Amino acid sequence: MCRRKLGKCVKLVVFLTLFLGATNANAQTNVDEQRDFFEKRVRPLLAARCLECHSADSETNGGLSLDSKSGWLTGGDSGPAIDLSDWQQSLLWLAIDYRNPKLQMPPDTKLTEQEKGIFRSWLSHGAFDPRESTEVRTIKKNTALAVVDAQKHWAYRSPVRSQVPVSVIPVRNAIDAFLSKGQVEAGIEPNATASPSILKQRLFVDLHGMRPNIDPLETSLFNGGHLNELEYQQTVESLLASPRFGERFARHWMDAVRFAESITLRGFVLPEAWRYRNYLIRAFNQDLAVSDFIREQVAGDLIQANSLEQRQLQLIATTALALGDTNLEEQDKKQLEMDYIDEQLEMIGKVFLAQTIGCARCHDHKFDPIPTSDYYAMAGILKSSVAMEHSNVSKWISIPLPLDRETESKFKKTSTQIAVAKRRLDEVKKKIQSSSESTLIVRVEDLEGVVVDDSNAKKIGNWEASTSVKAYVGEGYLHDKNQGKGEKSVTFEPSELKPGSYRVRLSYTHGAGRANAVVVRIFSADGEDIVRVNQVEKPAEDGLWLTLGTYRFEQGGQAFVIVSNEESNGHVVADAVQFLPEGQKPVASVVQANQAQSSELDLDIGPIAKESLDSLRKEAASIEAELKVLQSDLDARPVVISLRASEKPSDIAIHIRGSVHQQGSIVPRGFLSCIPALAETARIDSASNGRLELANWLASDENPLTARVYVNRVWSWLMGEGIVRTIDNFGTTGEPPSNLELLDWLTLQFIAEGWSTKWLVREIVLSDAYKRSSKSLTAAMELDPENRLFARSGIRRLDAETMRDTLLGLSGELDLAALVESTIPAKLKEDYAFKHSIRYRSVYGPWFRNSLPDLVAEFDGANPSFPISKRNRSTIVPQALALLNSQWIADRSSKFGNRLCDMPGLSDEQKLHCCFMSILSRLPSIREREWAEETIRQARESQIVEEDLWSSLVHNLVASIDFRYVE
C-alpha cells in the first residue's frame, strides 16, 4: 500500500511538471505520406476512371469537375461531391458504391473492390488533395519550369566553389566562416559554446544514438566549465571509430530507404532483409565512399567484384530496391509491375536526388523540369529487371548468395539429389495413377453448387477435346493445342445463379507442358478480377480443383468466368468451373471415388498386383520423406532479396494518364533531361540492362544533385535542420538553401575527400556552429526565429531507439554485440502482434510494418512504407504518460534501482548523482536535489523498501522531459 502511495505521489508531481513545462506542440500530420498516397493512388485512379467526363480539360458532366480540390468542394448540379464531415454520405462515395440506382459512377463499369478501397482510404482520412483550383491552375498552366530553363534553378546547376569568406570574428573552419558571413550581415551574434557536459550528450546522441553512460568515454569533458579542444577532438575520433557509429547512421538511412522486414499485405515477413541492414552498418563503419555506396544499392548485382565477400555485399546492397510496400495481391500484373517501379522511382528520386519523380507518372511535372518522357525513360531501366515472380499473390525475388567453392559444391550436390528424387517420384506416381486412373473422372451431377462443364461453355477459337490426362470433370476437357495465342477463350456462364456469395473453383488437368500463368477472368457484382493460374502445378484440392476466390453475384448481374490463352507459354486447359455457395464445403468426390475404386481394384487385380501397388505407394512415401530432408538442407543456403536482370532489356511506352492499358509512344531508356551535363556520357546501349548506367549517373562527381542531397541530409542529422530544409525536395516547390555557398563548398570538398561520410561528420561536429548553446536569445529570435543562419543549436528530441537503448544500458541488459544474423524467429510467417523483446540495440530488432515496437509507435517512429527524410518531432502529454505507465520502462527502472542498491558504500548523495548523471547526463539542480531528498525522506518514513524507493525515483526521472531532450 505504501509503495503504491509513493508511486502515485511522485508520478503526480512529475506529471504536473511535465504538463506545465512541456512544449505546447501538437503531433504533426504527416503531410508527405498523404501527398504520396494521393499522387500514387488517388490521382491515377481519378485520371483513369473519372476525368474523362469530369475535367476542365475534357467535359464537366453535371457541372462537376474532379481535377481540382475546389472542383469537388464546390461540386456540380447536385451540390458538393465530398462532405468531409460525413464522407460516407458524400455524393462521390454514394455514386462509387452504386447505392443509388440513379447515381452510379462510373456508369459503364463499376469500380473494383481494390479501386473502391483506395477511395475509401482517401475519403476517410480527410480527402487530402494538393491540387490547385482549376482557375489558378489555368493561370499557372505554363509556369512550370521547362527543361530548357532548368539551369535557372539552383539545384540543377553544378556546385560552384566560393572562396572561404574572411570572417570579422575568429572562426574554427570553413563552415563557421560561411555562416559567420550571413550572421554578420543579419546583425546576429551567435551563441556561445555549450557546456562540456551538454556537448558530450550531443555527440553521443548524434554519433552513437545513445546517451553517455555512467562510465563516460572521456570523463575529462565533464571537468570544469571550459572545453579542452584536444580532448573534444579525441572524443569525436573515438566515437567515429566505434561500431556504434555505423549502427546510428544505418538507422538514419533505413528511414530514408523505407527499410522494413515485412510488407503490410497479410503481414508477409521478409526473412532476408536483415542482411541489407548489416550491409548498411558495415558500410558506414568502414566509411565506404558514398559514390560506391549508391552504386551498389542501385546496381550491385551488375558491378564487377574483386572478391567473394565483395560480390556478396554488392548483391545484398540491391535489396534497397526490393523493400517497397506493394500490394502483391494485385491481379492485374501489368499494373502491379508499374506500381512496383513507381515505388522504386519515388525512393530513388527522393533519397538520391531530392526530386519528386513520381509526380510525372501521369503527366508532365507541374512544377519541376521533369516531363513524363523522363519518367518512363527511367522506368524502362527498372522494367528491364525482374522484381517479382507472379502468381495469384506475387512474390519478391530471392537470389542465392555466391559461396566458396566447397560450400557451393555441397549445395549443388543437394540440388542434384533433389532433382533425381523428384524425377523418380514422378515416375512412381504415374505408375500409381495408371493403376487407378479410372477413379479420377467426376460426374457433373455428383458435384455441389452450380457446375458449368466445358461441354456447356462458350468457346472462341479452335480448342481440342481430350481425355488423355486424369482427373477431369464430365466427359473430358479442352486444350488450346498451344497455338493461336491470344485468339482463344472459353466462357463458363451458369444459366441461373441465385444472388449471394460463392466460392468459385476452376478444374484443370496439370502437366509439365502446361502454361504457368493462365489468365482467368472472373466477372461478378464487384467488377472484373484476374487470377493467373499455374497449370504446371497440381490443383490444390483433390488434385482437380483450384479456388479462384469468393465473389458476390447479384440478380441479373454479370456472373461468368473466362479462361483465355493470352500471354500463355504452354498448353492452356479448360475443364469446368464450380460456383459453390459460401460456407458450403465441397465433397471430395475424387478422393471418395478413389477410395471406393481402390477397394474394387484390390479385389480385381490379384495379390501379386496388389503387392506391387503397395510397394509403389511405400516407395513414394519414402521418396517424399527423403525430399523433405534434402529440401531442408537446401533451404539452409543463404539467399538475398534482390532483382534479377532481364534477359531481354527493352524500352517502354509512355502510359497515358498513368494507365498501363493506354500506351503512347515508346521512349528510349535514360535519365533526367534537366541535367544535360551528363547526357553524352550516360547513354544506355540497347542490349544493356541500364541499371549500372543509372547507378553511375547518380553517383557521378558531375551530377549536381546527388552529392548535394547527401551532404544536406547528413547536415540535417547533426544540426537538426538541413541547409535546405526540404531534405527530399530540391525542386522548385522546395525551400531554397539558407546558405548555398556553404552547401556547395561542403559538396565539392566532400567529393574531393572521396565521398567520405566520416570526413563530413568530422567537419561538421568540429565546427563552432555545431557546438553552439541552444539558448534562445531575444535579439536572435527576433532577427532569425527559425534559426536558418544556425547562430544557435537546436534542442534534440531523442528518438524512440535512443531512449530504448539508453534504458537497456542503464538496466545492465543491453548486449552491444554486432549481430551477424537475423533476430526474427525462423518459423514466423506474418508480423501481426509480434512481441518485441530483443536485448540488443534497437537497430537490430525486427522492423515490421504491421507491428512496430511500442516506443517507436508512440514517439514518432518512421513509417516504413515511405521514404522518410525527417521524422516528426511531436511533444505531447500522452508521451509522458506512456513513459510513466509502461511496464517495460518500469522494469528497466527497477533493474537500475536495484543496481544502485547493490553498490556497497554509496551515500544517498552519491546514488542521487549517479541517477542524474546516468539518466540526464548532468548533476541535479538545487530544486531537483531538494525534491529528491524530500521524496527519499517521505519514503523512508513510510518504510518503503529501499530498492522500490530508488526504482521509483529512477522511473520518474526517465519520464521527465529532460530525459527525452538533449540541448
Side-chain angles (χ1 to χ4, degrees), residues 372-381 384 650-654 665-673 682-686:
T372 305
S373 56
D374 278 8
Y375 177 94
Y376 288 97
M378 297 184 74
I381 295 173
S384 295
S650 61
D651 303 328
I652 64 175
I654 292 174
S665 58
I666 293 177
V667 294
R669 288 169 294 155
F671 317 111
L672 296 183
S673 51
R683 296 189 180 278
I684 300 174
D685 186 83
S686 59

Side-chain angles (χ1 to χ4, degrees), residues 74 202 323 404 630 730 791 803:
T74 303
R202 193 179 293 173
L323 290 173
D404 62 82
L630 290 171
F730 278 26
M803 287 193 285

Side-chain angles (χ1 to χ4, degrees), residues 550-769:
T550 300
Y551 300 90
R552 185 172 57 87
F553 299 97
E554 296 176 347
Q555 186 72 38
Q558 56 186 11
F560 53 93
V561 175
I562 299 177
V563 177
S564 166
N565 73 341
E566 62 183 285
E567 302 178 4
S568 56
N569 58 355
H571 284 80
V572 174
V573 172
D575 183 12
V577 172
Q578 180 185 36
F579 297 82
L580 191 66
E582 187 176 18
Q584 182 176 348
K585 293 184 178 181
V587 174
S589 306
V590 174
V591 175
Q592 290 184 349
N594 204 11
Q595 292 172 343
Q597 289 288 343
S598 293
S599 299
E600 296 174 10
L601 187 64
D602 290 347
L603 292 174
D604 293 343
I605 64 178
I608 296 178
K610 180 177 183 299
E611 183 178 338
S612 176
L613 187 59
D614 287 343
S615 176
L616 288 170
R617 288 171 177 162
K618 289 179 180 178
E619 183 178 359
S622 175
I623 296 173
E624 287 174 342
E626 179 188 0
L627 275 172
K628 188 175 181 180
V629 174
L630 290 171
Q631 190 62 51
S632 178
D633 291 342
L634 189 62
D635 289 344
R637 172 167 191 154
V639 298
V640 62
I641 299 171
S642 183
L643 307 179
R644 185 170 57 240
S646 174
E647 295 180 359
K648 296 181 179 179
S650 61
D651 303 328
I652 64 175
I654 292 174
H655 296 175
I656 299 172
R657 289 185 173 178
S659 171
V660 296
H661 304 296
Q662 288 184 286
Q663 300 194 4
S665 58
I666 293 177
V667 294
R669 288 169 294 155
F671 317 111
L672 296 183
S673 51
C674 59
I675 306 178
L678 294 171
E680 295 301 318
T681 59
R683 296 189 180 278
I684 300 174
D685 186 83
S686 59
S688 174
N689 175 270
R691 260 192 302 117
L692 183 56
E693 290 88 338
L694 173 61
N696 289 332
W697 178 83
L698 287 168
S700 169
D701 290 356
E702 305 303 317
N703 192 312
L705 290 171
T706 312
R708 263 193 188 127
V709 170
Y710 186 79
V711 166
N712 187 65
R713 189 179 296 280
V714 173
W715 179 280
S716 73
W717 292 344
L718 298 170
M719 302 292 286
E721 293 286 356
I723 298 173
V724 180
R725 295 203 168 196
T726 50
I727 300 167
D728 55 10
N729 184 5
F730 278 26
T732 59
T733 59
E735 292 191 21
S738 59
N739 195 320
L740 181 57
E741 288 184 340
L742 171 58
L743 179 60
D744 280 2
W745 186 91
L746 277 175
T747 299
L748 292 171
Q749 197 63 29
F750 169 70
I751 293 172
E753 295 288 342
W755 295 65
S756 166
T757 299
K758 289 190 176 182
W759 172 85
L760 181 59
V761 171
R762 185 184 295 110
E763 195 75 6
I764 294 171
V765 300
L766 290 179
S767 69
D768 286 337

Side-chain angles (χ1 to χ4, degrees), residues 316-474:
I316 291 169
T318 59
T319 299
L321 294 177
L323 290 173
D325 192 20
T326 312
N327 178 20
L328 300 179
E329 274 188 320
E330 170 65 64
Q331 295 304 306
D332 186 339
K333 301 305 177 182
K334 290 182 179 178
Q335 181 70 41
L336 173 58
E337 288 179 0
M338 283 310 300
D339 287 346
Y340 200 96
I341 289 170
D342 180 72
E343 197 280 335
Q344 291 174 322
L345 276 178
E346 192 74 358
M347 187 276 288
I348 290 172
K350 287 187 174 182
V351 176
F352 300 131
L353 301 170
Q355 298 292 298
T356 52
I357 295 174
C359 294
R361 180 179 184 179
C362 304
H363 49 72
D364 289 349
H365 203 293
K366 296 293 185 183
F367 306 103
D368 296 336
I370 305 176
T372 305
S373 56
D374 278 8
Y375 177 94
Y376 288 97
M378 297 184 74
I381 295 173
L382 297 173
K383 189 72 164 61
S384 295
S385 293
V386 180
M388 290 170 288
E389 294 175 345
H390 289 312
S391 186
N392 183 27
V393 177
S394 300
K395 190 175 182 182
W396 53 89
I397 297 290
S398 293
I399 297 177
L401 273 178
L403 303 168
D404 62 82
R405 186 174 301 176
E406 182 180 349
T407 310
E408 194 79 58
S409 175
K410 168 190 161 188
F411 282 114
K412 186 175 181 180
K413 180 180 178 181
T414 303
S415 184
T416 302
Q417 290 174 318
I418 288 175
V420 171
K422 284 183 175 179
R423 284 198 299 269
R424 177 55 186 162
L425 183 61
D426 287 342
E427 293 172 0
V428 172
K429 285 186 173 181
K430 285 179 181 177
K431 290 180 181 179
I432 295 172
Q433 182 178 354
S434 64
S435 302
S436 55
E437 66 175 6
S438 62
T439 68
L440 303 180
I441 302 172
V442 181
R443 298 186 305 169
V444 173
E445 52 266 32
D446 291 336
L447 296 168
E448 305 83 354
V450 178
V451 179
V452 182
D453 188 35
D454 63 274
S455 58
N456 296 319
K458 300 173 186 177
K459 293 171 278 293
I460 295 177
N462 184 18
W463 292 81
E464 180 83 8
S466 178
T467 59
S468 299
V469 180
K470 311 299 186 296
Y472 55 75
V473 174

Side-chain angles (χ1 to χ4, degrees), residues 56 102 115 123 160 187 257 280 307 326 360 391 505-506 522 572 603 620 694 745 768 854 894:
K102 298 181 181 180
E115 290 171 330
L123 293 170
V160 176
V257 295
L280 295 179
S307 66
T326 312
S391 186
R505 303 204 299 169
L506 175 72
I522 304 96
V572 174
L603 292 174
L694 173 61
W745 186 91
D768 286 337
D854 291 340
S894 179

